Amino acid sequence: MIGFDRYVQLDWCGLTLEAAIENKTTDDVKDQISTILSGTESRRKTFDILKRLWIQPKAGYEEFSKRGVELYRKNGVGLVSPLSWGSAMVTYPFFGKTAEITGRLLSIQGDCSIKEVQRRMAEIYGDRDGIARAVSRVLQSQESWGMIERVEKGKRLVRKAPITLSDEDVVTWLIESVIRFTGKAVSLANLQSTPVLYPFVLDQSLAYAVSSSKKLELRSEGVGGQFVALRA
């Protein structure tokens, strides 16, 4: 149920994307991991996480993942963090839920403690061995990806300057990742501030971007309510 329970550096994600477009090999990714991590089992489990992000996506998400790789091929290294974020939340809901809770706490309080995030996650997944440790690994990874910073001797989190995304295809792909993560249509009005996307600013007219997308559609529900959903 956790899946994402290892520290994953951003440059490892970049190497995995490079391997997906065949500029690098999976051995290059493994070699880079081995410079940081000791222990065969730890390296294997970390590589398994990376592999699922871009090289061997889970069943039913191959086409979604392929479009993410093509966005990277087109736009380059500046997209490693948002693309990896979207893929991680879809592939590993535990990652997405940790991000969602962190984003909500940061929006309410301005900062939050790691223990607060761990406690909220334990309420969802159960207060059992491995949950607190896995949350710490996800947050450590998100710090490596440039999204948060640990302060007060590593006990509290603050959000770093958000990343502005202005490419329409990137924006709609990331919106699609939110819908796939939540498993339901999302409110157009709340998309820009949805907690799970706390590290990003979507610099687009979202209504126009969605209406132009081949994968998304706008649905009207209730009085004046518009929701974004996957096209049938």
Side-chain angles (χ1 to χ4, degrees):
M1 291 181 64
I2 297 174
F4 199 115
D5 60 353
R6 300 283 153 174
Y7 168 56
V8 176
Q9 287 188 180
L10 184 62
D11 55 346
W12 301 343
C13 297
L15 278 172
T16 309
L17 274 163
E18 290 288 332
I21 62 175
E22 300 179 348
N23 287 340
K24 298 287 184 180
T25 68
T26 56
D27 285 339
D28 292 321
V29 182
K30 293 176 181 178
D31 289 345
Q32 183 64 26
I33 293 172
S34 69
T35 66
I36 302 296
L37 301 180
S38 59
T40 302
E41 186 70 3
S42 179
R43 295 171 188 170
R44 182 189 64 79
K45 290 183 176 180
T46 302
F47 179 70
D48 283 347
I49 291 173
L50 290 162
K51 184 171 61 177
R52 294 280 279 177
L53 290 181
W54 296 118
I55 300 172
Q56 292 180 6
K58 66 180 183 179
Y61 291 86
E62 295 91 348
E63 192 268 344
F64 171 76
S65 179
K66 182 178 179 180
R67 284 188 282 114
V69 172
E70 288 304 310
L71 286 171
Y72 175 75
R73 188 197 303 272
K74 176 183 175 183
N75 295 281
V77 295
L79 285 187
V80 173
S81 56
L83 291 176
S84 297
W85 191 274
S87 182
M89 80 165 83
V90 169
T91 307
Y92 300 104
F94 187 90
F95 177 100
K97 185 57 69 172
T98 302
E100 182 180 49
I101 289 172
T102 303
R104 184 172 290 116
L105 290 172
L106 291 175
S107 68
I108 294 171
Q109 305 170 180
D111 66 354
C112 65
S113 72
I114 293 175
K115 287 191 176 297
E116 282 180 286
V117 181
Q118 291 171 327
R119 184 168 60 252
R120 300 288 180 90
M121 289 293 285
E123 291 171 358
I124 298 169
Y125 286 88
D127 190 10
R128 54 192 175 86
D129 290 345
I131 295 296
R133 183 172 62 252
V135 170
S136 293
R137 296 295 179 265
V138 171
L139 294 174
Q140 187 183 9
S141 301
Q142 292 181 4
E143 181 183 26
S144 169
W145 297 8
M147 311 311 190
I148 51 178
E149 181 180 358
R150 288 185 288 185
V151 297
E152 295 185 17
K153 297 182 179 179
K155 295 181 180 179
R156 299 193 69 80
L157 306 171
V158 295
R159 186 176 76 163
K160 299 191 76 170
I163 298 169
T164 299
L165 301 174
S166 55
D167 183 282
E168 185 176 299
D169 292 334
V170 175
V171 168
T172 53
W173 186 89
L174 203 54
I175 292 171
E176 182 182 345
S177 73
V178 175
I179 298 170
R180 291 184 181 277
F181 161 66
T182 59
K184 60 184 180 180
V186 296
S187 167
L188 177 65
N190 296 333
L191 252 180
Q192 189 66 257
S193 58
T194 187
V196 75
L197 291 184
Y198 78 84
F200 307 106
V201 173
L202 307 181
D203 187 21
Q204 281 279 329
S205 166
L206 298 187
Y208 177 80
V210 169
S211 64
S212 301
S213 171
K214 295 179 180 179
K215 299 295 179 181
L216 305 174
E217 65 179 8
L218 280 176
R219 297 177 182 172
S220 295
E221 298 183 17
V223 180
Q226 286 189 306
F227 288 78
V228 184
L230 299 180
R231 287 190 183 274

